[in-house]
């Protein structure tokens, strides 16, 4: 039997952005935080590197802004960059106040009032400004915020809940555009429940699972982007999909990322013969931005016909390596790789979705009452290429801004009432789930082959043809059978893939993460790629 739930705020997604929003809102509000699997299944938990922020007296806001603009390939929105960086220190202080156990700098005398935590440096940054908790920063942040959320009686944490679609006034045939809630599959009962809310926030992460090889957990299916698009929101810059240069290459190592900080602390990229190659591609060598490093690795792999390259930090003292990278050290050791003595086999893998749902500086989407925060959103911060460790910072800054905006509207927004329940009267149980599995595999393979690190017009055209066929098949399946997590994710992933392909086809240049052999030059004018759904209302 399906149920009806009422909350002041419905947060779809339980990662850094979603938990920060819930914890920043006043404690008298009823808040639901949904996770489509276990609470720790999102990308936040697996983030290794850290959070970029202006923290040390030797660093400046201007320097961080300049580095971000430079990494973004001329496409960052400077107001978004400045807004994020200017609020970085207070966001980090908030995390410290929550109890996040960042690594302290024990080697320096801090009586002079300097910063007490250890800061590392990553690709694209001109200063050490990455605050971290060893090499498991995401886990440290997530566990701390989750513990805080569990202590708040007004926050309801709901696992195994898969959002199906948003409920809007237009969807119900009512005047207006406001978001009123969402239909949500309860995996424990198989029923689709109705969630009413005064405000809804999408914090569902990115869509890197659209690619065959990815560093992301299984849930990174672009759910929030697809739901917002169907509801009438614009999306922006979805052609910019960041491939992390260094994921562990091993048949049993699923989606394990080798943190950027390994290169930041002196790790060198080498070919199988032991020779470095990055200095041939960029003067910054291993510390070049991720898009340059990923393309260089891809180029060398294709040029030499090799399966991987190698990241070597074995020239550093063994104790240094174990202390700074305990997670990487232990994980690699389980596969027989001692990184204090051996180089790590690595390959690029899809890592981060730089585009997303178009929002303003308060995280507001085109639909009243609907917010998008974190990787789901397109704020303009990342431009054509996200700089390392700016993504977690964006989660905290924009979640806190969204909370402030929601509070300012509370008195004017009433609880939606009498929302209709989910209609499953015309569907049946499926005995053809093999179709879902086949379509899922086909989608991820052609996206990897045709919409990957290097693109061409012909490849994009082939991808466009295939994704439209898939969308038709999925739509027919969705209309006739009961929904499941696999079907919902496939539907969303195919929709976001189609938007990525359309965005890539519109960009007639190479810029940042979008590199095409047919248009290798960069245009003099930088423009965002904004797509409007048929239901968009200005």
């Amino acid at each position: 039997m399906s149920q009806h739930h009422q909350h002041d705020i419905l947060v779809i997604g339980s990662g850094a952005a979603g938990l920060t929003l819930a914890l920043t809102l006043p404690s008298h509000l009823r808040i639901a935080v949904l996770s489509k699997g276990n609470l720790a299944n999102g990308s936040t938990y697996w983030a290794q590197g850290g959070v970029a922020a202006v923290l040390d007296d030797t660093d400046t806001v201007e320097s961080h802004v300049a580095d971000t603009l430079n990494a973004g390939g001329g496409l960052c929105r400077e107001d978004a960059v400045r807004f994020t960086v200017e609020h970085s220190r207070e966001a980090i202080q908030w995390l410290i106040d929550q109890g996040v156990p960042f690594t302290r700098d024990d080697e320096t005398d801090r009586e002079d009032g300097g910063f007490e935590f250890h800061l590392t440096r990553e690709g694209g940054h001109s200063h050490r400004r990455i605050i971290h908790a060893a090499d498991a920063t995401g886990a440290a942040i997530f566990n701390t915020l989750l513990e805080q959320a569990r202590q708040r009686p007004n926050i309801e944490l709901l696992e195994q809940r898969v959002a199906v679609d948003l409920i809007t006034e237009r969807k119900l045939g009512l005047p207006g555009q406001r978001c009123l809630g969402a239909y949500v599959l309860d995996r424990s009962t198989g029923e689709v429940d109705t969630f009413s809310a005064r405000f809804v926030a999408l914090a569902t992460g990115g869509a890197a699972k659209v690619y065959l090889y990815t560093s992301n957990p299984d849930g990174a299916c672009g759910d929030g982007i697809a739901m917002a698009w169907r509801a009438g929101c614009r999306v922006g810059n979805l052609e910019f999909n960041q491939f992390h240069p260094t994921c562990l290459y091993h048949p049993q190592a699923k989606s394990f990322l080798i943190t950027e900080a390994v290169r930041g602390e002196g790790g060198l990229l080498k070919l199988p013969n032991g020779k470095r190659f990055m200095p041939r591609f960029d003067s910054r060598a291993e510390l070049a931005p991720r898009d340059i490093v990923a393309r260089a690795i891809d180029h060398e792999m294709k040029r030499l016909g090799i399966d991987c390259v190698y990241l070597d930090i074995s020239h550093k003292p063994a104790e240094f390596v174990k202390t700074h990278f305990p997670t990487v050290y232990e994980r690699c050791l389980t596969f027989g790789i001692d990184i204090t003595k051996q180089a790590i086999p690595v390959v690029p893998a899809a890592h981060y979705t730089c585009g997303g749902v178009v929002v303003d500086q308060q995280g507001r989407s085109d639909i009243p009452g609907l917010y998008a925060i974190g990787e789901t959103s397109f704020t303009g911060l990342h431009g054509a290429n996200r700089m390392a460790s700016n993504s977690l910072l964006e989660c905290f800054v924009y979640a806190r801004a969204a909370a402030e905006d929601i509070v300012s509207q509370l008195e004017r927004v009433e609880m939606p009432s009498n929302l209709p329940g989910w209609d499953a009267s015309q569907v049946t149980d499926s005995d053809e789930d093999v179709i879902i599995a086949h379509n899922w595999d086909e989608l991820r393979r052609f996206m990897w082959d045709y919409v990957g690190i290097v693109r061409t017009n012909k490849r994009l055209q082939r991808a466009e043809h295939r994704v439209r066929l898939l969308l038709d098949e999925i739509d027919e399946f969705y209309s006739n059978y009961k929904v499941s997590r696999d079907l919902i994710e496939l539907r969303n992933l195919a929709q976001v893939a189609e938007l990525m392909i359309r965005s890539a086809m519109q960009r007639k240049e190479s810029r940042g993460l979008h590199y095409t052999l047919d248009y290798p030059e960069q245009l003099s004018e930088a423009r965002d790629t904004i797509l409007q759904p048929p239901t968009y209302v200005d």
Side-chain angles (χ1 to χ4, degrees):
M1 186 78 177
S2 61
Q3 299 186 25
H4 195 123
H5 306 264
Q6 284 193 330
H7 296 85
D8 292 301
I9 293 93
L10 172 63
V11 183
I12 305 176
S14 60
L19 290 176
T20 298
L21 174 61
L23 288 168
T24 308
L25 288 164
S27 58
H28 69 273
L29 297 175
R30 293 168 297 165
I31 303 167
V33 178
L34 307 185
S35 174
K36 65 178 178 179
N38 297 323
L39 289 166
N41 279 4
S43 294
T44 296
Y45 184 86
W46 302 103
Q48 296 176 15
V51 189
V54 179
L55 301 168
D56 194 275
D57 292 342
T58 63
D59 198 5
T60 65
V61 167
E62 293 305 322
S63 176
H64 191 170
V65 168
D67 289 345
T68 302
L69 293 175
N70 184 54
L75 206 58
C76 297
R77 294 184 175 179
E78 188 168 352
D79 59 339
V81 176
R82 192 166 294 279
F83 173 77
T84 306
V85 174
E86 287 177 347
H87 289 84
S88 64
R89 188 157 196 154
E90 65 190 54
I92 297 301
Q93 187 58 55
W94 180 80
L95 290 171
I96 293 170
D97 293 342
Q98 303 307 304
V100 176
F102 291 117
T103 298
R104 294 184 177 272
D105 191 345
D106 298 326
E107 301 174 3
T108 307
D109 181 2
R110 290 301 178 185
E111 293 181 359
D112 61 356
F115 195 62
E116 63 184 300
F117 294 95
H118 182 266
L119 301 176
T120 190
R121 182 181 173 191
E122 296 182 352
H125 291 276
S126 59
H127 286 77
R128 284 182 172 266
R129 64 167 67 99
I130 316 301
I131 188 170
H132 61 102
D135 63 345
T137 307
I141 290 173
F142 174 81
N143 289 332
T144 302
L145 297 186
L146 180 61
E147 182 59 32
Q148 291 291 335
R150 283 176 168 156
Q151 294 176 23
R152 292 268 294 267
N154 67 310
I155 298 176
E156 191 174 3
L157 300 168
L158 299 172
E159 296 183 306
Q160 309 299 330
R161 300 303 208 287
V162 186
V164 182
D165 257 328
L166 299 170
I167 305 171
T168 62
E169 290 175 327
R170 184 181 60 240
K171 187 182 181 83
L172 300 180
L174 302 173
Q177 305 292 323
R178 190 170 187 85
C179 185
L180 307 174
Y183 292 117
V184 178
L185 171 67
D186 183 341
R187 296 180 66 198
S188 66
T189 65
E191 298 289 340
V192 177
D193 297 336
T194 305
F195 279 74
S196 302
R198 296 159 73 186
F199 301 91
V200 177
L202 298 170
T204 58
K209 204 66 184 178
V210 76
Y211 289 104
L212 186 60
Y213 301 110
T214 175
S215 66
N216 284 198
D218 287 341
C221 299
D223 301 307
I225 298 170
M227 286 190 291
W229 172 263
R230 290 194 294 267
C233 292
R234 293 170 299 159
V235 298
N237 284 7
L238 283 172
E239 69 270 37
F240 297 114
N241 307 289
Q242 187 175 69
F243 289 78
H244 196 286
T246 55
C247 283
L248 179 61
Y249 179 74
H250 190 281
Q252 274 80 51
K254 183 181 179 182
S255 304
F256 186 70
L257 179 126
I258 306 299
T259 173
E260 189 105 1
V262 172
R263 284 182 284 129
E265 294 294 343
L268 302 174
L269 285 164
K270 297 179 178 180
L271 298 173
N273 63 6
K275 290 186 177 180
R276 291 178 66 193
F277 58 90
M278 276 311 303
R280 289 193 279 111
F281 291 89
D282 193 280
S283 60
R284 293 164 289 187
E286 280 79 9
L287 289 178
R290 288 178 176 175
D291 62 320
I292 294 172
V293 179
R295 273 203 305 276
I297 294 173
D298 183 68
H299 175 85
E300 292 299 284
M301 287 171 58
K302 288 175 177 173
R303 181 178 71 88
L304 298 172
I306 54 179
D307 293 326
C308 65
V309 296
Y310 294 86
L311 179 58
D312 190 0
I313 197 166
S314 63
H315 53 279
K316 290 281 189 177
E319 195 55 37
F320 173 91
V321 174
K322 293 177 184 178
T323 302
H324 281 74
F325 308 110
T327 306
V328 174
Y329 173 76
E330 292 294 340
R331 185 62 181 273
C332 287
L333 209 57
T334 64
F335 300 115
I337 304 165
D338 183 347
I339 68 172
T340 66
K341 301 175 182 177
Q342 301 166 267
I344 309 166
V346 294
V347 292
H351 183 58
Y352 192 86
T353 308
C354 286
V357 181
V358 174
V359 298
D360 63 12
Q361 285 186 0
Q362 285 70 48
R364 294 179 294 204
S365 75
D366 293 323
I367 295 177
L370 179 66
Y371 294 75
I373 49 178
E375 194 175 352
T376 304
S377 68
F378 165 59
T379 63
L381 170 64
H382 305 304
N385 181 25
R386 176 182 73 95
M387 190 166 68
S389 293
N390 270 351
S391 51
L392 280 173
L393 176 63
E394 181 184 44
C395 289
F396 308 126
V397 169
Y398 277 85
R400 287 162 56 80
E404 184 177 338
D405 191 68
I406 288 171
V407 170
S408 72
Q409 300 182 59
L410 284 171
E411 294 182 1
R412 304 194 300 272
V413 180
E414 297 181 356
M415 179 70 70
S417 59
N418 302 318
L419 296 188
W422 179 258
D423 182 8
S425 61
Q426 304 298 314
V427 298
T428 61
D429 288 318
S430 169
D431 58 359
E432 295 287 350
D433 284 354
V434 66
I435 296 174
I436 296 177
H438 177 82
N439 286 355
W440 184 280
D441 184 63
E442 181 184 351
L443 175 68
R444 297 180 67 210
R445 285 185 182 277
F446 75 64
M447 285 296 290
W448 180 263
D449 290 338
Y450 299 149
V451 200
I453 296 174
V454 177
R455 302 162 179 176
T456 67
N457 287 344
K458 185 173 287 186
R459 292 174 191 174
L460 293 175
Q461 289 164 3
R462 287 176 176 173
E464 181 186 38
H465 175 69
R466 281 160 175 74
V467 80
R468 287 181 175 172
L469 292 175
L470 273 185
L471 283 169
D472 288 342
E473 285 186 22
I474 294 165
D475 186 58
E476 181 182 358
F477 201 95
Y478 180 81
S479 301
N480 290 290
Y481 297 108
K482 288 184 178 178
V483 294
S484 64
R485 172 173 173 169
D486 285 346
L487 177 57
I488 294 167
E489 289 185 334
L490 175 63
R491 180 185 183 225
N492 290 335
L493 209 57
Q495 179 60 78
V496 175
E498 192 259 348
L499 296 173
M500 288 178 175
I501 296 163
R502 281 173 55 187
S503 299
M505 294 180 78
Q506 285 194 22
R507 187 164 293 280
K508 309 296 185 184
E509 64 167 349
S510 289
R511 184 184 295 274
L513 299 166
H514 174 75
Y515 185 79
T516 169
L517 296 176
D518 290 300
Y519 305 100
E521 302 302 319
Q522 182 173 295
L523 297 177
S524 57
E525 183 180 0
R527 291 186 179 182
D528 293 322
T529 304
I530 307 296
L531 302 182
Q532 294 184 1
T535 52
Y536 172 71
V537 177
D538 194 348

